[in-house]
Each structure stands twice: as structure tokens, then as C-alpha cells.
Amino acid sequence: MTCAACQSRVQRTLQKQPGVADATVNLMMQNATVTFDPQSISPTKLVEAIRDSGYGAELASPDQTAFEEQDARDRSTDDEFRALRLKAIVSAIVGLLVMVLSMPLMSNRAMDMSGAAAVVDPFMRWVMEVMDPALRRVAPWLYALPAQGISWALLVITVVVMAWAGRHFYTHAWAAFRHHAADMNTLVAVGTGAAFVYSVVATVAPQFFLTRGIAPDVYYEAVVIIIALILTGNMFEARAKKRTSAALRLLVNLRPKTARVLRDGLEVDVPVEQVMRGDVLTVRPGERIAVDGEIVSGESAVDESMLTGESLPVAKRAGDHVIGATINRTGAFRYRATTLGSDSVLAQIVKLMRDAQGSRAPIQRLADRISGIFVPVVMSLAVVTFVVWFLAASNAPGVRAFAAAVAVLIIACPCAMGLAVPTAVMVSTGKGAELGVLFKGGEVLQRAGDITTVVLDKTGTVTEGRPTVTDVVAAPGGAFDSQAHTPDDLLAITASLETLSEHPLADAIVREARTRGLAVQAPQSFESHTGRGAIGVVDGFAVTVGNESLLADYAVDVTPLRAVANQLASDGKTPMFIAVDGALAGVIAVADPIKASSRAAIGRLHVMGLEVVMLTGDHQRTANAIAKEAQIDRVVAGVLPEGKVAEIKRLQAEGKVVAMVGDGINDAPALAQADVGMAIGTGTDVAVEAGDVVLMRGDLHSAAQAIELSRRTMRTMQQNLFWAFLYNVIGIPIAAGALYPAFGLLLSPILASAAMAFSSVSVVTNSLRLRGARIA
């Protein structure tokens, strides 16, 4: 595929196949993503359908890793660039030679048109007024050569250039023609082919023109120079496209080649592919960590900035996870390999980026609709241009009609429209990865720019997510308000129940009990009540831990401790009531401080004009205290997961575009309901399925960066499409001669080809500006 028309045609072909629900074709990635019913059609049939439409296709290897796919793509891009560079350079050199050889013929042509002053094309006028006199002084012998001999020499040279450097234009155009289609190659092939055929007839049978009173002029120089200029533009385009995937290539290159593995008591360097799950590896200061794993001994600070965007090294000790491809800074440690190959964090990030870059943004549909009819419309305009000039021109109507029609074909550029959106998506997703923000597709990248309201989960999102126990209060006159059973006993029995809970508050209670050296035992039974608490049996006692609502279900009156709980909540702490054998036993308060970055990040969201809402299952007073400290606009407290979904639906019903930022399992329904779900991945958990965006760094600044990057990307896409459309809207009328009546100005096919060649380059270059965008 070479242009938007090709992309549109392949996509339509796939979408027409029986059993295909959706098909997306990406011009930049040269791939297609198809959703289909395997009962109705097979992948092999889809490939055959593409081949029948005139394009090559093959299935991706299921055994190929994301790294191997990217390596193959890089090699293909390099080969394409080198081939285009060679052809462009050789064609340009030959084009200059052909231009010099053509000067005597062009001089005669100008004389036939009443001198150089009659030449209305600025390029040709410059050639006649500057180059021609200079060449006459330097090489007068050239003008003494027979014109027919020069024409035959030019014919041979042009055939060689067309057959070698420009061959793919004609083969692709022919393939499209056989399938009743037309694309950019059709325009180039028809434009240069018409000039070539006209020149061949003038060379082989000049009498055909002379008997009709027309000079047998040849246009070989135009054919060669047009091919050279378009190849030059393709070369720069290929180089610019290569730079759009620089971030992805950088990630792939982070992968270490070898690992130092401990085997039979010795440290052995082996290729990283030979590392097995469970192997113990050694890492020294300054070395790159080979694979994902868990530290078994030693401690250090690890630079994870290339993967998470976090600029400061992260302290690591025994039990902590480390990510393959990050850099060990200070200490040495040993760690056990846990995830390898396609399951590793780096491989998942590369896959996420490739999937995102292969997807399409909805704004692309506009370019698709136009590119689908673009080429036929341009060819029709070329015919109209020829007819109008032939009938209206008073001087050399045939020559001018021919030149204007060829210029219309050559200057039209559907490539720029095809590249306008996917290049921006590629560069933007790469920039996002640098910031630790992983978009899962072009659609979410566009949607994030429309966000009006950001909804935040509290625990782990606004707060640190690692709460600590601050108060343990026994119920007055209760079982744990005595010499026999102290508040520590209450903490121990509660911690024993919470050992089976995954909730951060439960983790805080267990940690506090172990810190105090209390005996924590496994419960005989355990049942979690999402968003409310847990119940179970510990050492023969029925234990209930949770909010007032949960205890009310078991007919436990919390009145004796309500005032204490309210005061704790007013201080920003989370109170949890405990009942033992159906009697109120006490309350435990846990505090989860807000992250140091939360207040500034929320302030930044406000500056961006966004409403910030916090949803939490926590006590209203606690939530209010946290919201006040973090300067959050509005709080909805005491809500269960289904309540969070209902609140997001309510906001959407008001016409707001909602982003949900969360990290817990209980946030998954709300993340899925939101227009954009942003899942905090905390560095090692990139496969957060419920989120549309993964925030690797784990703080709210990443959410603001994602929205800002999306807005900038949308501006870039709109600029690209605007300039791509404007270029064609202005360029085609000028090539057709719209300026001639007022200014006496015509555009030669050579100048048209130069404009066409660099129109695509300008679009790709504009997208590349996103790489340097300063998004703090």
C-alpha cells in the first residue's frame, strides 16, 4: 500500500467479506486488524481476498514475539529507505543529464512558441533565460547535434529509468487497474506515461505531427525528472516515517542480550533467551536487569525511567519486584526470574504500543471517505483541464492542454491524507510511552482529548494506597476493655481474619499486628463483602469487620462508638467497626495519607478546565477530609462498585465526557463504564485489562499528561488534515491553470511533481513535532 486510496480499498475489501464484523487497515504499520466469525471465514480466506484485490498479504506468525515483529519491521523500513535513496539519487543524476541533452530541443520548442517570453511556466522560463544561454556558451557542439538523434538517445535513457527506478509505479498502477481501482500510482503512471507515449510517437513518427501542423516535441526530461522528484519525496517520507517509531525501537533495544545466571554455584553468562523461570540471577551496579523477577537477597536503587517515566531511582529490597531492561544503580542483588518472553513487562509494553499504533482514530474516517473518491475525481479533472485548454488556448493549444492535464495528475496527492492521522498516532503513543502513559489505541487517544470530568478513586489513586493503623479503641465495657483482653487482642483477632483479604486496609491491620509482635493465625472461615468489610471465624469466635452498614446486617448496634468513629473520620481516618460473637468489640482506625503529588496534579487538572470528582466507599467525613486536603471539587462517599458505575452514568447523562482513574479490582466496572478508563499500573502491572490507558508511574500527574498529550495530538491531526486538504484544493486548480487568466502563470509538470513530493513529507514532519512536545 502506498497511499490512502490503497488503504481504503483494502479495508473495504475486508469489510465486505462474509463473517467480518470489523476491519481496520493501517497505512503506516502496513497491517490489518480484523474481527470476524471463524465459523464463516478463515484467516487464509481473508489473505486471499486481499491478494485478489491486487495487494500482497500474509498472516502474522503466531510464534513471533513483539520484539521479533518490530525487528522485522525495522529491517523492512531500512531496506525500503535504502532502495528509495539509491533510485532517487541515480534518477536525479540521470535527470540532470537528460535536461542538458534536452536543451537544444527545448530551445526549438520555445522558438516555436514565439520565444522564451511566451513560455508561461516559471520553471521553463528560467531554463530558457538562464540555462540555455549558458549552455550555448559552454557546449555549442550540443546544439549542432541532429535533433532526431538526441530524441532517440533520450528515449533509451527514459525507458531505462522508467523500467528500473519507476517500475513500481507502473506495476502497482496496472495491478490496481486490473481490479478496477485507482491510487496514487495510477496518477503518477498516467501522468508520466502520457508524456512518454506522446514523446515516443513524436520520436518514431514525427511526420504524424508535422502533417497536422504540430511540432513533434518530446517530453522525456519531464518524465525522468518527475520520477526523480517523486522518489526523492518518497525517500524523505520513508525516513520521516521511520522516525515516528523511534520510541518503540528504543524500547525494543532496551532488551539485554545476556543474563548472569547462578548455576551449580557459579555465575554464568547466558543468552537471555536461555533464562528459565525460577533461575536465580545476579545483577551488579550499573548493569541492566535481564528479565522480570523478585529479589531474593541484597538491595539497591533501580532506574525505571525508561519504562515508567519515573525520574528518580526506586529503592528495591528482598521481596520487591524488578523489571527486565531497567538499570540497577547502586547495590548488587540476586533475584529469581518470574516472567519471561512475551509475558514480561517490556514485551507487554511493546505489544501495547504496537497494537495502539496499528489502530485508527475516528477522525481518520473523514480522510477515508475523501480518499475513496479522490483519484477518480482527479482523473476527471485532468480530462476537463485538457479539453478546456485545447478549446480555449490561442497559442499551441495541444501542448498547453497536454502539459496542464499532466500537471493536474502529478500534483494531486492522496498520500498526505493517508498519513495525516496514523503518523500522529504513532508519534503520540511513542511520546506517551516515554512519559509512562500507555494508550491502548487511536480511538482512546482521540477520546481522551474530549474529557470534561475526571473521576478519581481514593485509595491508591489520591492516597498512597498503603494505609497504616492509627487507633485501636475497645468498646466501653466490652470484651476487650479489660485486663484479660486488651485492645492488642482485638487487633490480633481482627488481623487474623484479614489475612485472607486483598484490601489495602486489611493489609494495614495485618502489618500493624505483626509489627507489634502479636500472634496472627489463619481463620477457620472467611467471606468478603465488597466495599463493606468481611466476616469469618477465628479461633472459634465469629468476627465481623467493616462499616456500620455491614454490622447492622448482623444486628450489631454501633452507637457506643459512633462518636469516636465520627471524630476519627473527621481527622481523615477510616474507622472500621469490629464485632465478636455478635457483640460490638471496638473500632480500628486506619489513615492513608494523600500522595505528595496528588494536590499539584489535581490543581493542574483544574487549570486544564476539568471537573475533579472523588468516588469512594469510605466514610463521608473521611472522604471530605481527604477531598479538602487534595482540593477535589466534589465527593461521593460510601458507594459500592455498582454505585461508582451509577455515578459515572449520571455524569454521562449530563453530557459530560468522563475519565475514571483507579487501581483496585473494585474499580474495574467503573473503569469499563467511563468514556476513558485510566488504570494505574504501578510499574509492574501493565496488563490492566479494564483500562483504556495504563499509567505506569502510578501518580495523578500521568492522568493530566495523558489528557494534555491527547489534546496536542488532536491538534496535530487536525492541522495535518487541514494542510493535506488545502494543498490539494489549492494545488490542483493552479496546476489546471486557474492563475493563467489573471497572472499569465502556468505550472509545469516538473514543478507539480516537486510540490507533490514534499506534501507528504510536510505532514509527517508536523507529526514528528509531537516528539519534542514539552508535557511536564
Side-chain angles (χ1 to χ4, degrees):
M1 297 183 297
T2 55
C3 68
C6 303
Q7 170 191 295
S8 178
R9 185 153 166 263
V10 174
Q11 187 165 294
R12 284 201 307 273
T13 300
L14 288 171
Q15 289 172 339
K16 289 178 182 175
Q17 300 307 307
V20 172
D22 187 32
T24 300
V25 177
N26 189 293
L27 178 61
M28 286 290 293
M29 301 290 287
Q30 297 283 304
N31 62 14
T33 304
V34 185
T35 305
F36 64 95
D37 179 5
Q39 302 297 322
S40 303
I41 194 168
S42 67
T44 305
K45 291 289 184 184
L46 292 172
V47 169
E48 290 175 1
I50 296 174
R51 289 175 178 167
D52 289 343
S53 70
Y55 298 91
E58 59 183 18
L59 292 173
S61 171
D63 299 327
Q64 199 174 35
T65 66
F67 300 119
E68 291 167 341
E69 284 182 31
Q70 186 58 35
D71 285 340
R73 184 167 177 270
D74 288 343
R75 284 195 299 274
S76 173
T77 305
D78 288 340
D79 292 343
E80 179 192 9
F81 173 71
R82 280 196 292 270
L84 286 171
R85 183 177 58 186
L86 176 64
K87 289 180 177 180
I89 292 173
V90 173
S91 300
I93 294 172
V94 174
L96 287 175
L97 174 64
V98 169
M99 175 65 83
V100 170
L101 281 177
S102 301
M103 288 303 299
L105 306 181
M106 294 166 64
S107 180
N108 294 337
R109 194 188 313 163
M111 293 302 294
D112 291 341
M113 297 172 68
S114 305
V119 178
V120 293
D121 169 16
F123 175 73
M124 295 306 296
R125 187 183 302 161
W126 175 81
V127 169
M128 289 296 99
E129 293 178 352
V130 178
M131 283 192 65
D132 185 55
L135 190 62
R136 281 180 186 276
R137 288 194 296 273
V138 175
W141 53 268
L142 189 62
Y143 290 80
L145 295 176
Q148 193 64 11
I150 293 175
S151 294
W152 276 101
L154 291 173
L155 170 59
V156 173
I157 295 172
T158 305
V159 167
V160 172
V161 171
M162 292 174 75
W164 175 67
R167 182 172 180 274
H168 62 283
F169 295 130
Y170 306 105
T171 55
H172 291 168
W174 174 246
F177 175 74
R178 286 195 299 114
H179 294 88
H180 312 293
D183 55 23
M184 182 207 77
N185 298 296
T186 305
L187 299 178
V188 176
V190 171
T192 56
F196 177 74
V197 170
Y198 184 96
S199 302
V200 168
V201 174
T203 303
V204 176
Q207 292 301 320
F208 176 82
F209 294 93
L210 293 172
T211 56
R212 290 164 175 77
I214 302 172
D217 298 324
V218 296
Y219 298 92
Y220 295 119
E221 83 286 351
V223 175
V224 176
I225 293 176
I226 286 170
I227 289 175
L229 286 172
I230 293 177
L231 285 172
T232 302
N234 291 162
M235 177 192 71
F236 283 120
E237 181 184 318
R239 188 174 70 172
K241 283 159 65 178
K242 183 179 173 184
R243 291 169 61 193
T244 62
S245 60
L248 189 55
R249 195 175 304 110
L250 185 63
L251 277 178
V252 171
N253 291 336
L254 287 177
R255 183 180 48 157
K257 304 296 183 191
T258 62
R260 186 172 299 114
V261 183
L262 201 62
R263 287 182 178 163
D264 299 326
L266 299 175
E267 294 181 355
V268 183
D269 286 340
V270 300
V272 73
E273 293 82 6
Q274 295 182 11
V275 177
M276 308 291 290
R277 190 187 304 275
D279 278 347
V280 175
L281 297 89
T282 300
V283 185
R284 294 169 183 160
E287 291 182 341
R288 199 175 287 280
I289 296 171
V291 298
D292 299 351
E294 182 178 318
I295 296 178
V296 294
S297 65
E299 56 183 52
S300 182
V302 177
D303 180 357
E304 298 179 340
S305 59
M306 293 302 294
L307 296 181
T308 67
E310 175 58 59
S311 57
L312 296 177
V314 180
K316 300 284 183 180
R317 57 181 61 86
D320 287 343
H321 289 280
V322 290
I323 309 172
T326 55
I327 301 174
N328 176 36
R329 288 297 184 197
T330 54
F333 61 85
R334 288 181 174 175
Y335 70 103
R336 180 172 288 104
T338 54
T339 51
L340 305 169
S342 59
D343 294 330
S344 68
V345 171
L346 181 61
Q348 290 183 53
I349 292 174
V350 170
K351 185 176 184 307
L352 271 179
M353 283 186 63
R354 283 184 56 81
D355 290 348
Q357 293 182 345
S359 64
R360 292 155 61 82
I363 195 174
Q364 176 72 35
R365 293 175 192 141
L366 175 62
D368 289 346
R369 284 199 294 271
I370 294 177
S371 59
I373 59 171
F374 184 81
V375 174
V377 168
V378 170
M379 295 189 72
S380 301
L381 289 174
V383 172
V384 172
T385 300
F386 181 89
V387 172
V388 170
W389 271 101
F390 190 78
L391 296 175
S394 57
N395 186 18
V399 173
R400 291 186 173 176
F402 182 74
V406 171
V408 168
L409 292 172
I410 296 297
I411 202 169
C413 181
C415 315
M417 284 185 285
L419 295 171
V421 174
T423 52
V425 170
M426 287 193 70
V427 178
S428 181
T429 50
K431 180 68 179 179
E434 291 178 12
L435 298 169
V437 176
L438 302 180
F439 291 94
K440 290 188 177 178
E443 184 174 351
V444 66
L445 182 59
Q446 176 173 339
R447 201 162 61 233
D450 299 328
I451 291 170
T452 58
T453 303
V454 178
V455 176
L456 308 174
D457 173 49
K458 182 179 76 68
T459 305
T461 303
V462 178
T463 64
E464 293 284 358
R466 193 173 173 80
T468 55
V469 173
T470 58
D471 302 87
V472 180
V473 181
F480 295 88
D481 185 25
S482 66
Q483 293 292 328
H485 298 288
T486 65
D488 274 359
D489 297 323
L490 176 63
L491 179 61
I493 197 171
T494 307
S496 297
L497 177 67
E498 297 286 26
T499 51
L500 295 183
S501 173
E502 86 293 345
H503 199 281
L505 299 183
D507 179 61
I509 293 173
V510 175
R511 278 188 286 109
E512 179 65 18
R514 287 176 174 158
T515 301
R516 296 189 187 188
L518 304 176
V520 178
Q521 54 187 306
Q524 284 88 48
S525 67
F526 175 84
E527 182 182 343
S528 174
H529 291 249
T530 304
R532 303 172 70 200
I535 64 171
V537 177
V538 178
D539 197 21
F541 295 101
V543 182
T544 304
V545 182
N547 58 21
E548 184 175 346
S549 169
L550 179 66
L551 268 70
D553 288 351
Y554 291 90
V556 178
D557 183 11
V558 300
T559 302
L561 288 173
R562 182 173 287 123
V564 175
N566 288 342
Q567 183 57 50
L568 291 169
S570 299
D571 295 337
K573 303 172 183 176
T574 302
M576 288 175 287
F577 295 102
I578 301 102
V580 177
D581 286 342
L584 183 64
V587 62
I588 295 178
V590 174
D592 185 12
I594 70 168
K595 295 177 181 176
S597 59
S598 290
R599 185 167 176 171
I602 290 167
R604 189 173 166 199
L605 291 172
H606 285 145
V607 171
M608 295 168 71
L610 300 168
E611 178 189 17
V612 182
V613 179
M614 186 173 78
L615 300 183
T616 176
D618 212 335
H619 196 281
Q620 183 72 52
R621 291 173 182 268
T622 307
N624 287 341
I626 295 292
K628 183 178 180 182
E629 185 177 356
Q631 297 188 336
I632 292 171
D633 299 324
R634 192 162 62 83
V635 175
V636 180
V639 289
L640 300 175
E642 54 268 29
K644 293 182 180 180
V645 171
E647 177 62 18
I648 290 174
K649 285 182 177 177
R650 192 188 66 76
L651 290 169
Q652 290 171 326
E654 292 177 355
K656 295 176 179 175
V657 181
V658 181
M660 171 72 197
V661 187
D663 71 329
I665 295 174
N666 62 340
D667 295 327
L671 288 170
Q673 175 61 41
D675 296 288
V676 178
M678 297 186 179
I680 293 183
T682 61
T684 58
D685 187 18
V686 298
V688 183
E689 296 297 335
D692 302 306
V693 182
V694 179
L695 308 179
M696 296 287 289
R697 205 168 61 199
D699 68 39
L700 287 176
H701 274 302
S702 295
Q705 288 174 325
I707 297 170
E708 185 175 343
L709 179 60
S710 171
R711 290 180 175 181
R712 290 197 182 204
T713 304
M714 282 307 300
R715 285 200 296 271
T716 301
M717 290 179 185
Q718 290 161 353
Q719 290 166 0
N720 286 349
L721 287 173
F722 174 79
W723 287 115
F725 293 144
L726 187 68
Y727 161 81
N728 285 293
V729 167
I730 293 178
I732 291 174
I734 291 176
L739 297 180
Y740 184 77
F743 304 101
L745 187 65
L746 263 182
L747 205 61
S748 74
I750 291 176
L751 285 181
S753 65
M756 181 270 189
F758 290 97
S759 61
S760 299
V761 177
S762 65
V763 165
V764 181
T765 303
N766 190 45
S767 295
L768 286 172
R769 292 193 308 117
L770 284 169
R771 292 174 61 191
R774 299 183 64 180
I775 300 176

